[in-house]
Amino acid sequence: MISIGSFQQLGRAIMLPMVVLPAAAIFLSLSQLPWDMVGLPGMSGYLQAASGAVFMFLPYIFAVGIALGMTGNALSAGMAALVGMFIYEGITGSVEAQIEPTVLIGTIIGVASGISHAQFKNLKLPEYIQFFGGPRFVPLFVSFISLIFSIGMVGVAPYLQRLLIDLGDIVASGGGFGVFLYGFVHRILVVFGLHHLVSHVFWFQIGGFETAAGEMVYGDLPRFFAGDPTAGSFMAGMYPTMMFALPAIAFAIIHEAREDLKPKIRKTFMYAALSSFLTGVTEPVEFAFLFVAPYLYVVHALLSGIIMWVTYELGIKHGFSFSGGAIDYLINEHLATRGWLLIPIGVVVGLVYYFLFRWAIRKFRIPTPGREEGSQLDEWAGDIPYRAPLILQAIGGKQNIVQMESCITRLRLKVSNEKLIDTNSLRNLGAAGVIKLGGGHVQVVFGTYSELIREEMSKTIKRDQAQVLFNSPMQGRMIPLEEVPDPIFAGKLVGQGVAFIPDRGELVSPVKGVVIHIYPTMHAIGIRTEEGLEVLLHIGIDTSKLAGKSYFNAVVKEGDEVVPGMLLIRFDLQRVKKESKSLATPMVITNSDLVHSWRFAPFKAVKKGQSSVLSVVLKERNGGGEAQ
């Protein structure tokens, strides 16, 4: 059965061919410069030709790009899509009424190539023809599919092209309401990472325009760059939202943050605001309030649609090659109609959004970042190599990953078991949100660091170092060992590790291993892992004197095997807090000489049994060297 998650891979694949469009827009913009004055009279023509070539071969770019995007850059799928397009053009171009390939055709052949690769990449044929088996079978198979498809399109394509033009007329007849509806749906689909699908239809398929050279182009975006004066309605209204509304939300979040957290929040959300303003990448801001106030996101989606309606009624036509940021606005302004109006509209929109969100955050006590229970968005680019193993553990380990890709703002995963994903750990590690789409498809929103995170996770999987991963032994807050009010633990004389301030009277196992020691007072317990690490868990400071009053009650005994999350000790939190020096609970490895390197999660609130709070890489024992 096809689930929503089945479409996320296609949505990401569509983004790959779109990355070439900014080059075409830049070439077209540069062609307007007075090159004659610098002694380069032919440069304008060259730049226009370069830009035109990109749009001319757009169906081929989409076919190959989608095929590669759906298969993790499998060359056989890309070759299959390219051959399929050649076959299509060869057959449809041989008839009397020549049929031009469209982006829709490129998309269909690209999808067919991607699906064929998934079906046949492991195909085994008899030994004497196995050369054509596996991935090499894909171009051959797609060639035959393209042949049949192209012959069928000879009769269908003229009607299809007419249909695209008629659909454009129908959409145009919807007027401002149709544009509003598109803007609202587009914003809602951002949540699921599927907005590229609806954009693809409006930007590259609906509506036709015949250029001065007699060529037909389809879709709002190609028509805009081809000079169609009616194109740009489905793009112009996005500029005020991306350049002004989202940065205004970022400023509202900054100004509603606690004073002690404002410096950190300011740094993070100033970057997010700048990213939205310049490039139109909005998810880092949107996901900061989406999960804590989904109703506010619906209001945002409605306002986005209304903004698009207003720009339509004012006759504004503007376009972009990538997204509605300031860079695209400036580059493409020379092609716009009344594009200057987007700036005053954007200023008004920004003010409305700023005061609306400040009021809503305060009125409804929305826990945006920087408030008491704000989401865990933070700035940690330099920590990516250290957090990658922890993120991998929170996803369920490498054995749980079927497929791992990334787009501009999120990891796109297919996993074997969604239940193994520790959502709280991922949020603690910097994720703005985790979206489960069904069928094992999961998106983890890490903002613009997503691609770097994927690369580091891939390196971690390939290295396959001997390491031990630790879960949280209790619910509360994780703190550095140096903050424990005891010189023995803080000085790491017992061993290296971390500590926790509990808010519940339960201690659970952080690792898989065997209980090797329980102190008579039951305030401390030792566990030996399968790898030989000896882990000491010590509840509170100066708690060894708390004996005989049932402060602690161990539910395991020496020699018992334990697994992460298994209950070890119950304790009376309030009595221990009252009669001890501190509730700080160190978790240390007493034989730290076995450890090559340490990776710590952010020192924040944790839940009992939460994965990915600590990861250690062990030294190599064969020959005495260290793991690199």
Side-chain angles (χ1 to χ4, degrees), residues 279-613:
T279 67
V281 176
T282 62
E283 284 94 325
V285 177
E286 289 175 318
F287 280 85
F289 67 91
L290 167 63
F291 295 100
V292 294
Y295 53 87
L296 194 57
Y297 190 89
V298 174
V299 173
H300 164 54
L302 287 168
L303 288 174
S304 298
I306 291 171
I307 293 167
M308 293 196 69
W309 195 341
V310 170
T311 59
Y312 175 85
E313 295 296 343
L314 291 175
I316 301 172
K317 302 290 190 295
H318 209 313
F320 46 74
S321 57
F322 175 70
S323 193
I327 295 174
D328 254 311
Y329 176 83
L330 293 173
I331 290 174
N332 303 316
E333 172 60 18
H334 66 285
L335 297 173
T337 301
R338 309 187 76 188
W340 64 272
L341 282 175
L342 293 174
I343 301 301
I345 291 173
V347 172
V348 174
V349 165
L351 290 173
V352 170
Y353 263 79
Y354 175 77
F355 289 109
L356 172 64
F357 271 74
R358 285 204 70 175
W359 172 81
I361 291 170
R362 192 175 300 176
K363 173 72 174 179
F364 301 108
R365 299 181 180 179
I366 299 172
T368 50
R371 294 173 66 82
E372 287 294 336
E373 300 174 0
S375 60
Q376 307 289 355
L377 267 178
D378 59 350
E379 169 65 49
W380 46 274
D383 291 340
I384 289 175
Y386 302 98
R387 294 200 200 182
L390 302 175
I391 295 171
L392 185 61
Q393 183 196 6
I395 290 170
K398 64 180 182 181
Q399 67 279 358
N400 194 39
I401 297 176
V402 177
Q403 188 173 10
M404 178 172 64
E405 299 173 334
S406 62
C407 64
I408 298 172
T409 58
R410 60 192 85 188
L411 286 178
R412 296 175 180 263
L413 305 164
K414 184 173 184 182
V415 297
S416 299
N417 187 352
E418 292 182 15
K419 295 181 180 179
L420 296 179
I421 293 177
D422 191 330
T423 300
N424 193 70
S425 290
L426 289 169
R427 290 181 64 82
N428 198 50
L429 288 164
V434 179
I435 307 166
K436 298 180 180 180
L437 300 175
H441 294 275
V442 179
Q443 297 178 356
V444 187
V445 182
F446 279 113
T448 50
Y449 297 122
S450 297
E451 177 62 24
L452 296 176
I453 293 169
R454 185 198 63 78
E455 290 178 1
E456 287 298 330
M457 289 174 63
S458 297
K459 291 177 185 177
T460 299
I461 292 172
K462 291 177 181 177
R463 281 197 296 263
D464 198 24
Q465 293 173 312
Q467 58 182 319
V468 182
L469 304 165
F470 287 74
N471 291 23
S472 172
M474 51 181 43
Q475 179 170 305
R477 181 167 57 90
M478 188 169 80
I479 62 173
L481 199 60
E482 293 82 355
E483 294 183 10
V484 174
D486 180 274
I488 302 298
F489 283 112
K492 303 177 183 178
L493 301 180
V494 179
Q496 169 71 292
V498 295
F500 301 85
I501 305 295
D503 55 28
R504 290 184 61 181
E506 292 181 333
L507 180 77
V508 301
S509 178
V511 290
K512 181 179 181 180
V514 177
V515 177
I516 57 175
H517 187 63
I518 300 178
Y519 285 74
T521 54
M522 302 184 191
H523 74 287
I525 186 171
I527 300 172
R528 181 183 292 115
T529 71
E530 296 175 321
E531 297 81 7
L533 294 180
E534 296 182 357
V535 183
L536 172 65
L537 297 157
H538 191 286
I539 303 172
I541 302 302
D542 291 346
T543 49
S544 58
K545 62 183 180 182
L546 303 181
K549 296 182 181 180
S550 301
Y551 291 93
F552 308 95
N553 179 31
V555 297
V556 294
K557 60 183 183 297
E558 292 181 4
D560 283 356
E561 294 184 355
V562 294
V563 295
M566 182 175 175
L567 183 63
L568 302 176
I569 299 172
R570 289 192 179 94
F571 58 97
D572 191 322
L573 181 69
Q574 296 305 320
R575 292 176 65 198
V576 172
K577 180 179 181 180
K578 182 179 179 180
E579 301 184 35
S580 66
K581 182 178 180 180
S582 170
L583 282 174
T585 300
M587 177 178 73
V588 298
I589 298 175
T590 56
N591 54 347
S592 298
D593 56 300
L594 299 181
V595 178
H596 173 260
S597 62
W598 303 73
R599 295 180 175 96
F600 303 94
F603 295 102
K604 298 178 179 179
V606 293
K607 293 186 177 181
K608 179 183 66 177
Q610 176 182 312
S611 64
S612 307
V613 298

Side-chain angles (χ1 to χ4, degrees), residues 240-262:
T241 298
M242 296 178 177
M243 289 174 58
F244 295 94
L246 272 301
I249 296 173
F251 285 120
I253 290 173
I254 292 171
H255 293 154
E256 288 300 321
R258 284 176 8 201
E259 288 300 321
D260 59 320
L261 295 177
K262 272 187 179 178

